[in-house]
Each structure stands twice: as structure tokens, then as C-alpha cells.
Amino acid sequence: MNKIKIIMMTVVLGMLGFVNNVGAEEVGYSVNTVPSALQQNKKLSFFDLKAKPQQTFDLKVKIENKSTEVSTFKVAATNAMTSNNGTITYGPTTRKLDQSMKVPFTSIAKVKHPKVTVPANTVKTVSMQVTMPKFEFDGMILGGFYVEKLTTEDKKTSGYSNQYAYAKGVVIKETDTVVQPDLEMPVVGIKTDNNMVNVAGTLRNASMTNIANLDMTASITKRNSDKVIVSKKVTGYSVAPTTNFDALFQYDKQKLPAGKYTFHVHANQTTGKQYKWNLQKDFVITADEVKPKESRGLAVVGQRNVLLYVLLGVVAALLVIIIFLLWFFLFYKRRKAKKDENQG
């Protein structure tokens, strides 16, 4: 069965991400924050906190099971990440953290009960403990209080089932110092995923603050040329602190044959204080790295087959030699025995 997971995020609309609301009746349960003593803006439905170094505190949410059956929920702390389509995500992920993320939320938050059972038509409070790092920092740590209903139900008619989850945003600051966002492009190169070849410019927000409403134009030129080969423009991107995402161009052999190129990015933040970035990085496309995975696989298989055939040939030759030597030895032995018999 294929599952579609829909995460309902409660975060700052337009500043920290995107709010996706689905009725609790449709989902069968709801998740609401319990106000924290560290909450700065009490009107917000997510955690907007100001803490101190080494401070320890609990964050709590209430899970209301609106169904008529006992339900089990997965509870976890998650790190805010940035997707390649410019949204901040708060769900569990296997993505590698960016090297600029010195204090992931998951490193300071610990869920007390990773699995929680809630009886039908009942509300249960669950919590996670947060222990702030020893040093003081400017900017923010951004993460999520993630709750997902565990289910094995199938939608047999379509083969799909919607799996809803809630992620309550957690913003933690220690100072009021304004941090300037820092957009970098450390890597450009070919990335292959599911046999789809893309030219990827990896963009990193290396600062401990978010970038809101980022408008961006990306383009590729031949190295030392101003003529644009391919370009794309996106608007309204949100970028989480100390995370990265890829600006992607689907590879086109006709437009981008093997050679030397430059990846250009012109970006500006259009909300709040205006920030602009003009980034560029040289890169090389080689004929080998843009081959489809199947071709590479066939090449490897072909090489393995050649080695296998050579090995089988050597083994066969050795067997022939051994059989010949054995036959020669037996023939010689019989001939000698017959000769000795005649002489006797």
C-alpha cells in the first residue's frame, strides 16, 4: 500500500513556513500546544520561546483522539529543514544535516514517551524535555513537536491511504540581537535520483535565522560567457536556519553537453529588511556522470561478465590440463605395466 503523509504545520505564516489546515474531524484527532512559561507571544499556536543557556524545560501538547477506537501515536522531536521547492518542513527525515547546523533541535530535545496510546474520545498530554546548550547564541533554533497517528488501514479502492501528522513549530531564541541571513552556494554538480539526472546548485543558509519570501533567479552559462543557456525563476521561498536546498535544472544533453560551465544565482529577500545575494560557481560536466544509471549498471555488469568469462576460461583450461595429465599418467602406467609383463 502506498501512503501519502500530510503534515499539518503550525508555524509563522510567511516567515517560518507554510500552514496547512485540515479539519480534526476529517483526521480523527487534533494536537494543540500547552502554553509554556517561556512563551513570548501568547497569541501564537506554536512555541515561540525565549530561554537561557543550560536552562531545562518541558514542552507539552494535548492529543485529542476524536475517533471511537483506541489510537496509538508516534511522538518525536524534529529538525526544521528546507525542501527543494522552497518550503520549511518539520517532518522526520533521513537527510543529512547541513554542516552549519551546530545545534540541531533534536540534539537538545528528548521525547519522554515516543509512543503514546490514547483511548477513544479522550485527551492525553504528552511532553518533551529541552536542555539548552551551555553557550549563548544569537538567532534561533528551529524544530518541531511531531505527532503522527500510527495506522495499518488500507484504502482498498484506490490503493492509497492518507496519513495525517501534526508538526507544531518550535522557535527558541536567547537574545534579541538581529542576525543577518547568509546565503551561500558551496557546491554545484550533477545529482542523479531515480535515474533522473539534474544539475544542482546547493544553496545554504549558514546563519541562525530564517530567510523569508526569497525570490531567486538561477541560470547556467558556458564558463567565461554571458550567454544564458538555461534559466528559471522562483518566488516566495522560505529557508530554515542552517539548512540547505538544491536549485535544480533537469539535465539536457543537447543544451548542456560535457564541458565547463558557471552556475549563477541572483536572490533577494522581499519581506522585512531587504537582503540581496549574487552568487556564482564554476563546475564541470563529464560524459560519464550524466550517463543513466542503467547504462552505468550495464557497463559494470558487462565488466563483471568479462571477468567471469575469463575466470571460467582459466578454470576450463586448468581442467583440460589436469585431465590430459591424468590420462597421460594412466596411459603411461598401463603401457609400462604391459611392457613389464611381456618381458617377464
Side-chain angles (χ1 to χ4, degrees), residues 251-264:
Y251 177 71
D252 186 325
K253 185 178 180 179
Q254 302 302 319
K255 294 180 179 179
L256 298 169
K260 298 179 179 180
Y261 298 90
T262 302
F263 200 107
H264 307 264

Side-chain angles (χ1 to χ4, degrees), residues 55-306:
Q55 186 174 2
T56 298
F57 53 90
D58 286 345
L59 298 179
K60 299 179 181 180
V61 299
K62 290 183 178 180
I63 303 174
E64 182 177 2
N65 181 8
K66 296 177 179 290
S67 71
T68 57
E69 298 178 349
V70 175
S71 298
T72 302
F73 298 87
K74 172 185 176 180
V75 182
T78 58
N79 298 308
M81 305 291 281
T82 304
S83 70
N84 289 342
N85 60 3
T87 59
I88 298 177
T89 62
Y90 295 83
T93 179
T94 57
R95 282 179 59 187
K96 184 178 179 180
L97 299 180
D98 189 84
Q99 65 183 39
S100 65
M101 188 179 287
K102 305 303 182 185
V103 188
F105 181 63
T106 52
S107 71
I108 63 172
K110 183 178 180 181
V111 173
K112 295 184 178 181
H113 301 288
K115 283 189 179 181
V116 177
T117 299
V118 183
N121 298 309
T122 302
V123 178
K124 179 172 282 191
T125 300
V126 296
S127 63
M128 68 170 62
Q129 186 178 76
V130 178
T131 302
M132 298 298 290
K134 295 180 180 180
F135 58 89
E136 184 179 75
F137 63 85
D138 297 325
M140 68 174 73
I141 296 173
L142 185 59
F145 198 134
Y146 179 84
V147 179
E148 176 190 337
K149 183 178 179 179
L150 301 178
T151 177
T152 57
E153 293 181 358
D154 289 346
K155 293 292 183 71
K156 296 182 179 179
T157 55
S158 64
Y160 288 87
S161 71
N162 287 338
Q163 189 175 359
Y164 294 97
Y166 285 86
K168 294 293 183 178
V170 182
V171 182
I172 307 177
K173 297 181 179 180
E174 290 187 343
T175 72
D176 295 323
T177 302
V178 176
V179 175
Q180 180 174 327
D182 181 16
L183 191 66
E184 305 172 350
M185 185 164 55
V187 180
V188 176
I190 295 294
K191 287 191 176 181
T192 305
D193 184 28
N194 293 326
N195 206 40
M196 292 293 295
V197 181
N198 294 295
V199 181
T202 299
L203 296 168
R204 167 193 294 153
N205 175 16
S207 65
M208 290 187 69
T209 190
N210 62 295
I211 300 176
N213 283 334
L214 182 72
D215 292 350
M216 182 174 67
T217 300
S219 61
I220 297 176
T221 65
K222 275 282 191 180
R223 192 174 299 182
N224 301 321
S225 171
D226 294 328
K227 185 178 180 181
V228 174
I229 302 171
V230 290
S231 67
K232 67 188 299 184
K233 183 177 181 179
V234 296
T235 60
Y237 271 31
S238 296
V239 187
T242 59
T243 62
N244 65 65
F245 67 99
D246 289 332
L248 298 172
F249 287 98
Q250 186 172 343
Y251 177 71
D252 186 325
K253 185 178 180 179
Q254 302 302 319
K255 294 180 179 179
L256 298 169
K260 298 179 179 180
Y261 298 90
T262 302
F263 200 107
H264 307 264
V265 170
H266 304 286
N268 63 290
Q269 177 177 272
T270 60
T271 294
K273 187 174 181 179
Q274 302 293 301
Y275 293 101
K276 293 186 178 182
W277 297 272
N278 293 304
L279 310 171
Q280 66 178 46
K281 196 170 190 67
D282 294 336
F283 68 102
V284 176
I285 296 177
T286 64
D288 181 65
E289 65 183 345
V290 294
K291 287 181 181 178
K293 281 187 176 180
E294 285 87 349
S295 298
R296 297 183 191 180
L298 288 173
V300 172
V301 171
Q303 292 173 5
R304 290 177 179 172
N305 286 342
V306 170

Side-chain angles (χ1 to χ4, degrees), residues 303-319:
Q303 292 173 5
R304 290 177 179 172
N305 286 342
V306 170
L307 291 174
L308 179 61
Y309 294 147
V310 170
L311 182 61
L312 289 175
V314 171
V315 171
L318 288 174
L319 286 174

